């Protein structure tokens, strides 16, 4: 089995569940840190594990360009390449490609674009996105979609929705035909055993740094039947009826999980909420629901209570590098002069390894002096704050038993 | 007692000893990583502790300019400011100031210079250097010296030597008169107790990350008699007789430890070795000897076998940020294309947390993609390699018992 989703309990629409994937299990609702180029910027994998990160997101577009998906395939897939034994989700590359603006051209067949690195020409189709994502070998791959821009009028949103649905079908057909080619299944039995036990024979001393579920969770997933799972993506712009149509036609294709895309692309926050609220009830209750690219801490908590199971966003990591810390007392801009001699931790209510050890004065100094440790510590804190936010929501949702309908 | 130096054993000139300082003990010979701006670039203090770093170097010039020594004094000193409970050594600021070239002017009184950050005007005298270093509160402070440039003719080296000796005397007088002002002694009894037990009440769970000797080693150092120690610096250019004169006159001033300065400033490697060899026998056998600003791994091992107890250098950390790794097989330039699909660890003989977990292919990718994790992992490996180099030398030196003369 490649994916199992077990709902433990629910409180109104929100639900507390366990998502079991080939590389381990994930307690949901979950926030997934973004590891664009096979690294969560400025954080060693050991520290991600100590934060109890269970699933990371990788960006297909970036990894395709550098180091290249074929390189990663030859090196055993993304998990092994970046030495991350726990689950990974890759996006389809669509969002990044559409963000290129003048560098790309879209047809029904796919997208031509130029690399933001060296200007070289490339082409992504649904089939190619699947090939790249299978080479990367994340636990969850995403259908190739067109992320509808904001604002988009009804005609544009409909055309984009139709294209995304056609691409979802092509994605699924190609994925199903090729999913056995995932690098885990191309490895020799010896390699598989290495994968399952740790790459280089970690000793007991390493276990505190390299804990976790390196390798496949073979207990319930015999290798021969384990592969990636492909999620479909709902589009439809800011039109509830188009969202409904997108969701219904996508659900008819029977994906193991569904994402709501095309949000957090510049629209007002109320509208994001409205689109999520309009779409969630149309998705199968027993399957994971993923809202892409959100959000602020209060937003992800709110969406989780509404029934969203998975979210990702560059906000905590990117904001950290700009000196913006999320705390239980609100946002804190660490570069402000008022913190120059402030001996308090960034967030007095936070128990993360940054707040337990370092003062605002020190973090401000690191930022001002442009020291690399600034990005490291700020990112660690923001990720810890996001993960703790979701942990609290999970605790809250665990208070009620699961309704029969969702079991 | 502020400093104790106990020699356990020796092999020819080299010796294996324990240096006990107010913030903990250091096994020597030791390599001290450089933490210029109150951080070893790109490495969290937790990971420095996991590497078993026992003593760090801080740069007085940089900390004076930013965040300012008075800020650090008010925040309890450098240990508390950067949350580093183990020993620290600060340089005098002299080397950095002299490196400013046209931005500085030297007289017998001191050095006028302009900040490399904002062009503001400043003046460092021996007395001011002491005031700044006492405010920072490192376990070991350095006398303010003039680092003689290379090449320098005999007349220039003599003049520079005379100035350095006069400044050493002034440094010592001012230091002795003000050493009780170190921030540890300005703290209330409550603060002292916090310092000795950890700043924010670390829980047991933290101990694996925040191990070590936070606070003063009060067992044998009652707080009232604990202060910093001031080391003198031998100069004399590349003239053995001037080195001798510098050493003899400095030893007459009776410092608790001695540094050999003005080396690794562009001279050939043979000459560095010759100056160290000429100077070491002139320094008291029972006190620590520190060669400033060296060197490559084979150099630090060689100097340690000659009787050098302490060394520091930016080489392992700076080279790491440029993709140069030191390994048991020699230097490895991680950006080379040949490593693009190399699954081996950086150094197959190394047991550091980088070599146990990451491949050359991954490290090359991080460097090429300009990811912050590149500097983090490369620095961790290089520091681990330097520390392991010194650990092996200590093991080698421990094989022979200490000769009576050195006890």
């Amino acid at each position: 089995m490649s994916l199992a989703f077990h709902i433990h309990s629910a409180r109104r629409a929100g639900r507390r569940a366990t998502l079991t994937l080939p590389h381990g299990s994930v307690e949901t609702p979950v926030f997934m840190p973004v590891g664009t180029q096979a690294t969560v910027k400025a954080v060693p994998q050991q520290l991600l594990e100590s934060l109890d990160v269970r699933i990371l997101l990788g960006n297909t577009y970036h990894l395709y360009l550098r180091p290249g998906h074929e390189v990663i395939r030859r090196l055993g897939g993304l998990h092994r390449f970046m030495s991350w034994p726990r689950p990974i989700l890759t996006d389809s590359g669509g969002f990044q490609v559409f963000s290129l603006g003048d560098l790309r051209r879209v047809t029904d067949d796919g997208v031509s674009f130029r690399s933001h690195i060296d200007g070289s020409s490339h082409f992504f189709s649904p089939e190619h996105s699947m090939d790249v994502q299978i080479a990367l070998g994340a636990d969850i791959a995403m259908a190739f979609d067109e992320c509808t821009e904001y604002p988009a009028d009804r005609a544009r949103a409909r055309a984009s929705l139709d294209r995304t649905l056609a691409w979802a079908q092509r994605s699924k057909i190609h994925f199903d035909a090729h999913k056995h080619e995932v690098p885990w299944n191309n490895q020799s039995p010896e390699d598989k055993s290495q994968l399952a036990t740790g790459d280089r024979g970690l000793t007991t001393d390493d276990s505190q740094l390299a804990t976790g579920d390196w390798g496949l969770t073979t207990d319930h997933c015999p290798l021969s039947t384990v592969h990636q799972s492909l999620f479909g993506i709902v589009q439809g712009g800011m039109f509830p009826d188009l969202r409904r149509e997108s969701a219904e036609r996508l659900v008819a294709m029977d994906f193991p999980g569904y994402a709501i895309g095309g949000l957090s692309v510049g629209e007002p926050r109320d509208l994001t909420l409205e689109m999520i609220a309009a779409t969630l009830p149309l998705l199968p209750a027993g399957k994971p629901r993923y809202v892409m690219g959100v959000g602020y801490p209060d937003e992800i908590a709110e969406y989780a209570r509404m029934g969203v199971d998975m979210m990702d966003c560059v906000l905590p990591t990117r904001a950290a590098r700009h000196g913006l810390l999320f705390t239980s007392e609100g946002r804190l801009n660490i570069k402000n002069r008022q913190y120059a001699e402030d001996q308090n931790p960034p967030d007095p209510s936070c128990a993360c390894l940054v707040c337990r050890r370092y003062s605002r004065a020190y973090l401000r100094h690191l930022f001002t002096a442009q020291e690399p440790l600034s990005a490291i510590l700020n990112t660690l804190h923001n990720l810890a704050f996001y993960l703790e936010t979701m942990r609290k929501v999970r605790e809250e949702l665990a208070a009620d038993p699961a309704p029969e309908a969702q079991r």
Side-chain angles (χ1 to χ4, degrees), chain A:
Chain A
M1 195 168 55
S2 303
L3 182 150
F5 189 63
H6 178 68
I7 298 172
H8 306 296
S9 59
R11 179 183 282 264
R12 285 188 292 274
R15 63 264 192 93
R16 166 78 188 81
T18 301
L19 174 63
T20 305
L21 296 166
H23 289 82
S25 64
V26 179
E27 302 307 313
T28 66
V30 67
F31 176 81
M32 304 183 285
V34 178
T36 297
Q37 302 194 105
T39 158
V40 174
K41 284 195 192 305
V43 184
Q45 279 74 315
Q46 283 98 332
L47 294 180
L48 293 174
E49 286 171 350
S50 78
L51 288 175
D52 200 26
V53 171
R54 295 292 188 92
I55 179 168
L56 287 184
L57 187 139
N59 285 124
T60 294
Y61 165 78
H62 290 92
L63 295 170
Y64 159 79
L65 289 178
R66 191 169 54 193
H69 62 294
E70 288 300 347
V71 169
I72 291 181
R73 181 205 295 276
R74 285 193 295 270
L75 294 173
L78 186 54
H79 292 89
R80 176 173 283 199
F81 176 63
M82 67 181 288
S83 188
W84 178 254
R86 301 182 182 183
I88 301 175
L89 179 150
T90 46
D91 63 6
S92 68
F95 180 76
Q96 268 78 21
V97 167
F98 288 100
S99 304
L100 290 173
D102 289 348
L103 290 173
R104 53 96 177 139
R105 202 173 65 89
V106 189
T107 67
D108 282 343
D109 199 32
V111 189
S112 310
F113 61 96
R114 288 181 177 276
S115 159
H116 74 285
I117 300 170
D118 62 6
S120 55
S121 293
H122 302 267
F123 179 74
F124 255 56
S125 63
E127 291 76 13
H128 187 56
S129 171
M130 293 306 104
D131 286 339
V132 174
Q133 289 188 77
I134 291 169
L136 298 177
D139 298 75
I140 298 174
M142 300 301 298
F144 192 64
D145 66 324
E146 181 175 81
C147 180
T148 314
E149 68 280 4
Y150 178 84
D153 64 22
R154 188 175 178 84
R156 164 71 191 130
R158 156 150 297 285
S160 177
L161 154 64
D162 285 338
R163 178 173 282 158
T164 287
L165 284 165
W167 286 359
Q169 190 68 63
R170 284 167 56 188
S171 294
K172 190 166 190 301
I173 290 168
H174 196 81
F175 177 82
D176 285 338
H178 295 274
K179 61 188 176 186
H180 63 278
E181 296 166 14
V182 71
W184 328 322
N185 286 329
N186 289 337
Q187 286 157 5
S188 67
E190 190 183 313
D191 280 344
K192 279 180 187 165
S193 128
Q194 283 186 333
L195 183 63
T197 57
D199 228 355
R200 299 193 193 92
L202 299 180
T203 67
T204 318
D205 280 345
D206 304 332
S207 61
Q208 67 189 78
L209 286 174
T211 53
D213 326 293
W214 185 268
L216 307 175
T217 53
T218 46
D219 280 359
H220 44 84
C221 299
L223 275 174
S224 53
T225 66
V226 172
H227 44 72
Q228 303 170 269
S229 295
L230 181 68
F231 281 21
I233 304 177
V234 175
Q235 291 287 349
M238 302 302 156
F239 303 92
D241 60 322
L242 294 186
R243 289 274 168 186
R244 164 178 292 271
E245 181 184 333
S246 175
E248 287 174 349
R249 287 169 60 189
L250 207 59
V251 168
M253 295 182 204
D254 193 24
F255 287 93
Y258 296 89
I260 305 178
L263 295 179
S264 207
V265 289
E267 78 280 9
R269 185 171 164 161
D270 285 356
L271 207 46
T272 317
L273 188 71
E274 187 188 328
M275 290 304 116
I276 294 174
T279 310
L280 281 176
L282 307 170
L283 300 176
K287 292 184 176 180
R289 305 150 171 177
Y290 163 30
V291 175
M292 308 176 82
V294 291
Y296 284 96
D298 58 327
E299 291 176 309
I300 61 170
E302 184 171 16
Y303 303 155
R305 291 191 191 100
M306 290 166 62
V308 175
D309 305 301
M310 305 161 70
M311 286 165 277
D312 79 282
C313 196
V314 295
L315 188 54
T317 43
R318 184 174 290 167
R321 299 195 300 280
H322 290 93
L324 184 67
L325 300 177
F326 296 101
T327 80
S328 58
E329 296 166 351
R331 300 180 207 171
L332 186 154
N333 198 325
I334 201 65
K335 60 176 168 268
N336 287 350
R337 172 169 290 275
Q338 71 186 96
Y339 303 122
E341 302 195 22
D342 188 335
Q343 300 250 36
N344 291 300
D347 182 352
S349 307
C350 177
C352 82
L353 58 83
V354 178
C355 288
R356 285 198 313 255
R357 180 153 190 169
Y358 304 99
S359 66
R360 293 172 182 174
Y362 183 61
L363 295 186
R364 179 182 187 271
H365 164 68
L366 293 178
F367 186 88
T368 309
Q370 299 178 290
E371 279 287 344
L373 189 55
S374 173
I376 299 171
L377 297 182
N378 291 351
T379 303
L380 280 170
H381 167 76
N382 275 357
L383 284 181
F385 187 78
Y386 266 64
L387 295 171
E388 176 64 9
T389 297
M390 293 311 276
R391 195 197 59 74
K392 284 180 185 157
V393 173
R394 287 197 300 271
E395 201 172 77
E396 186 186 308
L397 295 175
D400 282 359
E404 278 310 310
Q406 294 193 332
R407 282 209 173 135

